[in-house]
Amino acid sequence: MKGLMARLRYLFGSSRGLVLGTVALIALTAAFMGMLSGPMAEWGVRDFWIRLWGMQLDPMEREGRLIFLYHAFAMAVVAVEVYMLTGLYRMKESHKLVIHILMTVGYLSAMIFGLAFAYWGHNWVFHGLFLFGQSLVFFAGVMLAVALWPWAKDFRLPEGSPYWRLKGGVDGERLAVFIMAVATLISAVYGAVPGSFFGHGFEVFLSEDIIRIPYHTPLELAIVGHLHIMLVDIAVAAVFIVSRWVDFKGWPQKWAMPLNIIGTVIISIGAWMVVPFRDIAHKVINVGAGFLMLASVFLAIYVWRKQIEVGLAKQGLEPKVAGLGAKIKALLHDPLPWGATWLMLFMNLVVTAPGVYMAIKLELFRRWLLREEKIGLVGHWHILAFIIASILLLYYIDLAGLKGKARQWMGWIVILGNMTATIAANVLVLKRVFVPEILEQPLVARTLIVMDIALSLFLIALAAFLLWRLVDLFKPEGRWVEEWRRPAFPILYEEETP
């Protein structure tokens, strides 16, 4: 019993344990719900799974179920990011404790009772607990903003600090994270308002289903704006997590953080403008996205230079005399930090570029079947979410202490699996650009095979990683004991920090 209580205190009383438990729950939920996917339906698994677990899946309620599923995953991913932020940024222990309690009870309530309401009959007590959980998550966000208050004297930077420092020693990066947290809270309210009108002139819908309807109500537009900005805010939070992980500083950090602030503010305003100024809102969003993308370039410059420096030192080479091959080898010597920043840039190739292309060629896409355009929109969001999840996973692999060949294998499977799956998904989305409709089936079949193989390898590697952590949790003196005793998250290049 004593050992069980110690493990529960680790899982629910430390940032590392909370991240581990939430990542495991996300993986289990994804595996469970994956049995309802299209490939599983083709193999006959879906119907068996529904009967086995006694699910109640009315086809007329599909949209509602998907919305609950999306929110269940979103709540859990937000929880992972909050736990990581509380471990990486200095704050009062009392604030951290309140944030952890609110977030943990909140996301678990929203996830468990939301899915129970959606997939196992409509018990309205469960719906109330789902809303209760979301409310707790919101107030955890309020407490996070309070804990990150950048003007607190305890968290100011000294003169000569290598980090971006404002007048009076205010930490510029902390200010950027604070603005992101406040923008996320406002954007959450932006989606909660239309949700409060369910049953009073507002019905559930999926954004991709109304894309060709010329008129949208203000509440529908609010949902569209909410959909855009919440995923962006999750992506911005991931950038800040990577920034602290790699000890982002110097001139690249002093350029990137102001760009992050400007980009977050502009893109948030653009999303909030969808209701009153629909015609220009997307242009404003694109401007904000440009600032955020430029900031990620500065982060990549810093990480890649650091990777080369550390990698060459391990090879015993001086940067001035090292050849191109040695520098490339040094750059890729640790796939985790390189992969996290590479995926940020790669995101522009598989998310931004196709999105801009579809906007420019909208007349072409509007001549296609509605189903094809919906595939493009759904694929766009899922690719972005998958890349964000992969970036967070790369950080957690390092946080969990994976070393040696296992670290190399896990890192490269995540990176290459993500790249292969997302490129294949874009081919699937844009297939009608390459081949006419009558000849598209061979392309679709091959693309789906490639995508399924890449995703399968990704998920198998994740399962092996989590199994390793599970086995460790049963050891009396496993890694979990050491993680429990250490109060803060490590920084990747901490040993080089003066």
Side-chain angles (χ1 to χ4, degrees):
M1 181 59 72
K2 186 178 179 180
L4 175 62
M5 292 305 298
R7 287 164 174 80
L8 289 176
R9 284 196 294 271
Y10 161 70
L11 288 172
F12 292 97
S14 67
S15 295
R16 286 184 179 84
L18 288 166
V19 173
L20 171 60
T22 310
V23 170
L25 186 57
I26 292 172
L28 288 172
T29 305
F32 185 92
M33 291 299 173
M35 296 298 176
L36 306 178
S37 64
M40 295 297 107
E42 294 174 1
W43 296 343
V45 175
R46 182 179 186 272
D47 292 337
F48 166 76
W49 198 253
I50 292 171
R51 291 193 302 271
L52 177 65
W53 293 98
M55 296 184 186
Q56 301 176 28
L57 307 185
D58 186 341
M60 296 296 292
E61 298 173 345
R62 175 179 175 273
E63 291 82 358
R65 287 195 301 274
L66 287 176
I67 289 172
F68 275 100
L69 183 62
Y70 289 157
H71 279 82
F73 281 119
M75 294 293 106
V77 171
V78 167
V80 169
E81 291 193 324
V82 168
Y83 298 145
M84 289 178 172
L85 290 170
T86 59
L88 289 166
Y89 287 90
R90 294 183 298 156
M91 58 185 65
K92 294 181 179 179
E93 288 299 321
S94 58
H95 287 162
K96 187 183 297 187
L97 177 62
V98 173
I99 293 167
H100 286 179
I101 292 173
L102 289 174
M103 180 58 72
T104 304
V105 176
Y107 98 81
L108 286 174
S109 298
M111 193 172 194
I112 294 171
F113 293 109
L115 293 177
F117 175 82
Y119 287 85
W120 281 276
H122 303 325
N123 185 325
W124 287 93
V125 174
F126 291 168
H127 189 273
L129 290 171
F130 167 74
L131 296 177
F132 170 72
Q134 285 190 309
S135 301
L136 291 183
V137 170
F138 180 84
F139 284 111
V142 173
M143 281 304 305
L144 178 65
V146 171
L148 289 170
W149 182 250
W151 292 276
K153 292 183 179 180
D154 293 341
F155 307 122
R156 304 218 173 174
L157 298 176
E159 288 281 353
S161 172
Y163 306 99
W164 182 40
R165 180 178 180 273
L166 282 72
K167 185 177 180 180
V170 174
D171 185 343
E173 182 173 326
R174 195 180 187 90
L175 175 62
V177 181
F178 170 78
I179 290 173
M180 176 275 299
V182 173
T184 304
L185 291 170
I186 297 172
S187 301
V189 173
Y190 206 76
V193 170
S196 66
F197 281 86
F198 275 127
H200 296 277
F202 183 64
E203 297 181 359
V204 65
F205 72 98
L206 297 177
S207 296
E208 60 268 21
D209 290 338
I210 65 170
I211 190 65
R212 294 189 181 180
I213 298 175
Y215 174 77
H216 301 112
T217 68
L219 294 178
E220 289 174 339
L221 292 173
I223 292 295
V224 173
H226 173 73
L227 171 65
H228 276 75
I229 192 57
M230 291 307 293
L231 198 52
V232 170
D233 285 331
I234 291 173
V236 174
V239 170
F240 290 132
I241 289 167
V242 174
S243 296
R244 279 299 82 231
W245 171 33
V246 300
D247 194 23
F248 193 25
K249 60 187 177 183
W251 69 264
Q253 193 250 8
K254 294 175 182 179
W255 277 94
M257 289 305 153
L259 291 171
N260 275 322
I261 292 175
I262 295 170
T264 301
V265 171
I266 292 177
I267 204 168
S268 298
I269 292 173
W272 303 335
M273 287 172 59
V274 167
V275 175
F277 306 106
R278 174 186 174 186
D279 293 338
I280 64 170
H282 212 281
K283 297 177 182 178
V284 176
I285 290 172
N286 287 338
V287 172
F291 282 99
L292 293 175
M293 287 188 289
L294 186 57
S296 67
V297 171
F298 282 108
L299 176 58
I301 290 172
Y302 174 84
V303 172
W304 294 7
R305 287 177 60 185
K306 195 70 177 180
Q307 281 284 104
I308 292 173
E309 177 186 330
V310 174
L312 290 177
K314 289 182 177 181
Q315 297 178 50
L317 298 174
E318 291 290 334
K320 292 182 180 179
V321 298
L324 179 61
K327 289 183 178 180
I328 294 175
K329 181 181 179 181
L331 174 64
L332 303 178
H333 81 276
D334 186 352
L336 303 188
W338 176 83
T341 48
W342 161 247
L343 288 179
M344 290 180 189
L345 304 181
F346 180 71
M347 186 188 301
N348 298 321
L349 299 177
V350 293
V351 177
T352 307
V356 171
Y357 178 78
M358 289 181 69
I360 294 173
K361 296 288 188 178
L362 190 59
E363 292 184 2
L364 170 64
F365 283 85
R366 287 292 157 87
R367 291 199 296 268
W368 295 0
L369 294 174
L370 173 60
R371 183 191 62 150
E372 299 296 336
E373 189 172 359
K374 287 170 64 176
I375 290 173
L377 294 171
V378 174
H380 183 78
W381 292 113
H382 281 75
I383 291 169
L384 179 56
F386 184 37
I387 290 176
I388 295 170
S390 298
I391 292 171
L392 294 174
L393 179 58
L394 288 171
Y395 170 53
Y396 182 63
I397 294 169
D398 178 74
L399 185 63
L402 201 61
K403 304 292 184 182
K405 291 184 178 180
R407 180 186 179 96
Q408 293 286 327
W409 275 98
M410 186 70 189
W412 286 113
I413 288 174
V414 170
I415 296 165
L416 297 178
N418 184 290
M419 292 175 60
T420 304
T422 52
I423 290 172
N426 271 292
V427 172
L428 186 66
V429 166
L430 301 172
K431 58 184 178 295
R432 298 282 291 279
V433 175
F434 310 125
V435 295
E437 182 179 4
I438 195 171
L439 299 176
E440 72 178 25
Q441 188 53 45
L443 177 64
V444 170
R446 294 188 182 98
T447 302
L448 287 174
I449 290 173
V450 171
M451 188 164 59
D452 287 345
I453 291 174
L455 289 173
S456 297
L457 290 174
F458 182 98
L459 294 174
I460 290 170
L462 177 58
F465 172 72
L466 292 175
L467 182 61
W468 170 64
R469 291 308 316 246
L470 179 63
V471 170
D472 178 81
L473 198 58
F474 281 96
K475 295 179 180 178
E477 292 294 327
R479 283 195 57 83
W480 68 273
V481 177
E482 182 185 355
E483 291 178 357
W484 186 19
R485 291 169 181 164
R486 285 187 293 174
F489 287 176
I491 295 175
L492 186 65
Y493 302 122
E494 195 169 20
E495 64 277 7
E496 285 84 26
T497 303

